[in-house]
Amino acid sequence: MTGVCGCCGALRPRYKRLVDNIFPEDPEDGLVKANMEKLTFYALSAPEKLDRIGAYLSERLSRDVARHRYGYVCIAMEALDQLLMACHCQSINLFVESFLKMVRKLLESDKPNLQILGTNSFVKFANIEEDTPSYHRSYDFFVSRFSEMCHSSYEDPDIRTKIRMAGIKGLQGVVRKTVNDELQANIWDPQHMDKIVPSLLFNLQSGEHSESRSPSPLQASEKEKESPVELTERCFRELLGRAAYGNIKNAVTPVLMHLDNHALWEGKTFAVCCFKIIMYSIQSQHSHLVIQQLLGHLDANSKNSAKVRAGIVEVLLEAAAIAASGSVGPTVLEVFNTLLRQLRLSVDYELTGSYDGSTNIGTKIIKAHEERQLQEAVIRTIGSFANTLPTYQRSEVMLFIMGKIPVPGIHLTLPSTGSEPEGTRMIQIMLLKSLVQVTAGFQTTNMLTALPSSFLEPLLSFSLTEDPEVRLLVLQILLSLIDRHENRPKFSNISIISDISVLKLKVDKCSRQDNLFMKKHGQQLYRHIYMGCKEPSSGREHYETLFALLGLLSVELANEEVVVDLIRLALALQDLALSTDEGLPVYNRCAVHALAAAYLNLICQLTTVPAFCQHIHEVIEVRQKESPYLLPEDVFIDIPRLPSSLEKMEGDVLFLQSKITEVLGGSGYNTERLGTPYVPQYTDEDRLSKRKSIGETISLQVEVESRNSPEKEERTPAEEITFETLKNAIVDSVGMEEQERERRRQVVVKFQKAPFEEIAAHCGARATLLQSKLNQIFEITIRPPPSPSGTISSGYGQSQSRSVPIYEMKFPDLCVY
């Protein structure tokens, strides 16, 4: 029998004998290296035998696995690995099939060591670049099995960690093997991504993760490589880094679903960590795709809890901060439209207490404080997005947001809120806060084009509303727009500064564009500053912000003409505080006095006219001794030191317009303009800004006259036309225009507020008067007809023509037919 066996053994194919010879009698001795070299040489010499070698090794390995001879299993896998690394011929495909079959056999085993062994072999195979493509190879099993290993719940924690790390490495190998081969199964298909991505996120979440701040992690130490979290992050980054434009969505969607399914938005930390990895790992030109997916997910969760929505918004905030300039993509306004829509929905939820009466979600209790936190997060995110945009796009966003702000009685098509007046007010405040964020740090060389009338005029109209919070927000926006040299913090407190050089103000020469801007919008700005001081509800913050606005106008946009107007405005504010007709409280009157004093102290030092500075300082010294409550140091403090009432003030405690005109006139300033008291222009804006009902909206609109009307041309003196003549004519026309506007405003107010009977009687009286005038005109124009009716002699011997009606005339018979 022994001879027969020996004979049979000699007759066996050579490749089988070479394979058998690599296995020692004792598995612990390991692979027989000399025989392995013979087998490798044979495989290289006869590549057509490679597939048979692989099939035979697979057969032996399967038998050894079944018999639990794990030492021989390890030797077989080592031999396969060496053959795989050595052979790169055209027939490698068939050998690979045998190899993958053996790896699959090991992964199906319930022994952790075999699973890890199979995974390691697969990873080695994944790093090999094959010369010929494969049309029929499938990796579906490996994706499923490695994903399952990533979720291993083995009892021993050390072994569990090893199994999970093996699963992560296996997924990394699958991605490397398939991602660049168009003939392989598409790893980016949802069926694969829905397994790979959640498995990675599960391991990423399992350990304490340090924040990633760079696009790619530094070379990790050996100890860090043993951590599943670090290994997972590297694998996740590699996966995202290989994603092309069309694959970003499939890679990010499972992340969103995983965060939804495991309620991970509320914690914010892990969700932010995930998207930081995503934003840093993908190609920068694809950033806007991730942002668009987040926005769509935010819309899809519109009726979810405020914590979930706030978590998504927080992630958006971080993503926008990482994204490069302009990466929001082509749909810039759509980004802001989505965020503004979420802001409005949140306000509605807070006011109504329900999600539109939805049956399945409406039972949830809406917490107002959570909705407010969400609103603040949305506003911060709007600002973060705006900071990534260039100036011209930011201007468009400002216009876009301004168009969304509801004006009571005008935007009738806006969705109604639960409590209409309160809802409108809250939306106004939220959108103005958004504008504050968008305009923060806004700088432009040409304010006339960056801030068109279509933006500034509606913004300024909000500064006339009765709500003090709205007015304060408008002032903050104006400060951000005008401050281009970071002078704003230097005007944060109102005080009398003896030497303004300590402020280190940055003052540039006013450009031509700035001059044009002030010519167009200067009068509007002055009027709104005046009206803001006139509001009884204005508080300390309002006056401090108004002072900062005056200061910024002086250093950013002031030429000689603007300086004169600002001085006139400051003196008009003093007159306003002296007037008792406005009914301002004592605090407001003292605050306006203090504001005017602080500003005149500032502007006199900017103009550097010694006599002007002397007059201002003399008045301030008198106030310090006699009336300290007229200076900011006694007014703009936590507990103002105010008198019980303001007596009639005159003399040395007041700034005199005549004195200022005299001293500035000697320095070349326009004395005629300085001597003209400033009177704010009253327009329809004052009325429109405080509408409360729709009925008032459709009332009579008065058209503002243009300055170059024929009536004003007639008032021009008949003298030689020079530049001074034209300038004086314009100044005069401004005063006449203000009077005309006041008259028109009174007419409008009368028609708005008078009883119907009074208006009807007024119109009837006017109609009667018109008829009587017409009768007089007809009597004058009618001439006596040439008829035989003759003339009538008057008592004084004069003949008087009498008009005879046609029906009384005597016509000759020949004329009648």
Side-chain angles (χ1 to χ4, degrees), residues 14 19 107 141 146 230 286 289 376-377 430 490 515 533 614 644 682 687 694 721 729 783 798 810:
R14 186 181 178 192
V19 170
L107 293 176
F141 165 79
F146 288 138
E230 296 296 329
H286 299 159
L289 296 175
E376 294 300 325
M430 292 300 165
K490 299 163 187 176
N515 289 335
C533 292
Q614 183 181 355
S644 57
Y682 288 90
R687 180 170 52 82
I694 295 173
I721 299 176
R783 297 286 181 267
Q798 296 176 349
K810 303 288 186 182

Side-chain angles (χ1 to χ4, degrees), residues 681-700:
Q681 300 175 5
Y682 288 90
T683 66
D684 282 352
E685 206 173 30
D686 303 331
R687 180 170 52 82
L688 290 172
S689 61
K690 296 187 180 181
R691 285 177 175 163
K692 290 293 185 292
S693 67
I694 295 173
E696 293 177 64
T697 307
I698 57 175
S699 61
L700 182 63

Side-chain angles (χ1 to χ4, degrees), residues 315-451:
V315 170
L316 268 169
L317 177 63
E318 295 292 339
I322 295 170
S325 177
S327 67
V328 177
T331 56
V332 175
L333 294 182
E334 186 57 35
V335 171
F336 292 93
N337 193 35
T338 301
L339 292 171
L340 294 176
R341 183 165 59 247
Q342 292 300 321
L343 200 58
R344 175 174 291 279
L345 284 173
S346 179
V347 171
D348 286 347
Y349 294 159
E350 182 182 345
L351 291 171
T352 60
S354 67
Y355 297 106
D356 298 333
S358 180
T359 55
N360 54 345
I361 311 178
T363 54
K364 291 184 179 179
I365 299 174
I366 294 178
K367 298 178 181 177
H369 71 279
E370 291 180 359
E371 292 293 342
R372 291 194 195 99
Q373 290 173 359
L374 168 65
Q375 292 157 16
E376 294 300 325
V378 171
I379 290 169
R380 288 197 308 273
T381 305
I382 288 173
S384 182
F385 271 111
N387 289 333
T388 68
L389 300 176
T391 302
Y392 74 94
Q393 278 191 324
R394 200 187 289 201
S395 298
E396 290 179 4
V397 171
M398 287 157 50
L399 274 169
F400 181 73
I401 297 177
M402 179 57 68
K404 296 281 185 180
I405 303 179
V407 179
I410 294 180
H411 292 183
L412 307 179
T413 59
L414 289 172
S416 60
T417 52
S419 175
E420 192 65 40
E422 180 61 20
T424 300
R425 176 186 173 276
M426 286 183 66
I427 288 293
Q428 285 178 342
I429 290 172
M430 292 300 165
L431 295 180
L432 287 172
K433 283 183 177 179
S434 302
L435 272 177
V436 170
Q437 292 289 328
V438 172
T439 55
F442 180 82
Q443 293 187 353
T444 177
T445 54
N446 190 347
M447 293 188 68
L448 199 59
T449 56
L451 305 174

Side-chain angles (χ1 to χ4, degrees), residues 475 478-479 482 529 544-554:
L475 290 173
L478 285 173
L479 291 183
I482 295 173
I529 293 172
E544 289 176 342
T545 314
L546 286 166
F547 173 73
L549 181 55
L550 284 167
L552 287 176
L553 287 174
S554 305

